[in-house]
Amino acid sequence: WQIANIANEKKADVVLMSGDLFDSNISYYETQEALLSALGSISAEIFISPGNHDYFCPKSPYSFLKFPKNVHIFKSPIITSYELPQIGCRVYGAGFNAPRCMSLLTDFSAMKDDMVNLMTIHGELSGDMYNHISEEDISSSNLDYLALGHTHTFSGIKTAGKTRYAYPGCPEGRGFDEMGEKGIIFGEVSKGWADMEFIPLSGRQYRIFEMDLTGETDATLAVMQKFSGDEYKNDIVRIVFNGIFSGRLDFKTLGDILSEKFFHVTFKDRTRLGKDIWDSLNDDTLTGLF
């Protein structure tokens, strides 16, 4: 709904969604209803390019859901286009129809006329399983802007030849493998020119903090000193303890102390005891023998 509200507030003409809108070909009814409602509230034309997680097939939501009339889905791994003459724009795209996809952008070139050429597509700039895309492909594409999907982190706005391109990342982190600021890309595109910006959306972030307890005698005191402020109170945090530490880690007490500092906190203990294991070498014990 945040994306829908921003699109309407900024009077967007086109919304590009570059795949992995669903995690798989199976989704909850409530998720489907919420998505259709949000997309239907957007006044812009919406273009979706299915990716490796939500690839188009007879069982995918893309095949049986009744999407609003302003939603256009690229259902084939062959690049096609829609023309929007009212705004002088052409939107290219293609969709995965299996978890893996061949390179789609190789030897592609958009039409050379007065219309603005956009593309939304799912692919990776490295590797060869998920529609490999090279900077050479982008540079020779004659596109004014290329909206990419697959990477869950904002790539920055980049340029290859005369084409601007970017990965927006996911709009909201959902685990410690999706850390950092999340959001969308918004901007204006004209023939041979694109002015794009990243708009943060996520209300909370996933963060991992490393703490070296070497030389510390009181882990609780060390943690309280490190997290004395409340700048992470909306975030989901994991604290990883490292170093040589022979004291006691009381996770229950630490969790109680930090309950007001974070939305949620978990701990991992990777400390090592401050004793050399070879000290027991000459002991007449099972440990010494081992």
Side-chain angles (χ1 to χ4, degrees), residues 1-15 17 34-44 46 70 171 184 186 201:
W1 282 102
Q2 278 185 289
I3 296 174
N5 292 336
I6 291 174
N8 290 331
E9 288 170 5
K10 292 184 174 291
K11 299 181 180 179
D13 295 308
V14 175
V15 173
M17 297 183 172
L35 175 65
L36 295 178
S37 180
L39 295 180
S41 72
I42 298 175
S43 58
I46 301 170
N70 63 322
I184 61 172
F186 180 85
L201 289 185

Side-chain angles (χ1 to χ4, degrees), residues 6-7 10-12 184-188 195-199:
I6 291 174
K10 292 184 174 291
K11 299 181 180 179
I184 61 172
I185 296 172
F186 180 85
E188 296 183 15
D195 182 18
M196 315 300 289
E197 65 171 333
F198 179 76
I199 300 178

Side-chain angles (χ1 to χ4, degrees), residues 79-80 92 104-111 118-119 137 140-143:
I79 295 175
T80 56
Y92 290 91
L104 302 177
L105 208 59
T106 303
D107 299 326
F108 166 82
S109 181
M111 291 183 63
L118 307 177
M119 177 181 280
D137 293 334
S140 61
S141 67
N142 195 41
L143 293 168

Side-chain angles (χ1 to χ4, degrees), residues 162-186:
K162 295 182 179 180
T163 303
R164 302 279 271 175
Y165 69 96
Y167 287 99
C170 52
E172 185 80 39
R174 298 166 300 166
F176 289 104
D177 58 340
E178 294 180 343
M179 295 192 297
E181 200 164 46
K182 304 299 180 183
I184 61 172
I185 296 172
F186 180 85

Side-chain angles (χ1 to χ4, degrees), residues 91-160:
V91 181
Y92 290 91
F96 280 47
N97 62 0
R100 298 183 181 182
C101 186
M102 62 181 182
S103 297
L104 302 177
L105 208 59
T106 303
D107 299 326
F108 166 82
S109 181
M111 291 183 63
K112 296 180 179 180
D113 53 21
D114 293 333
M115 296 189 78
V116 172
N117 289 317
L118 307 177
M119 177 181 280
T120 175
I121 202 165
H122 199 82
E124 57 181 353
L125 292 172
S126 60
D128 57 6
M129 294 191 301
Y130 306 110
N131 176 25
H132 171 65
I133 298 172
S134 69
E135 287 204 351
E136 290 76 15
D137 293 334
I138 299 173
S139 179
S140 61
S141 67
N142 195 41
L143 293 168
D144 297 297
Y145 183 74
L146 172 62
L148 292 171
H150 187 63
T151 299
H152 293 196
T153 302
F154 174 50
S155 65
I157 310 298
K158 300 186 177 183
T159 304

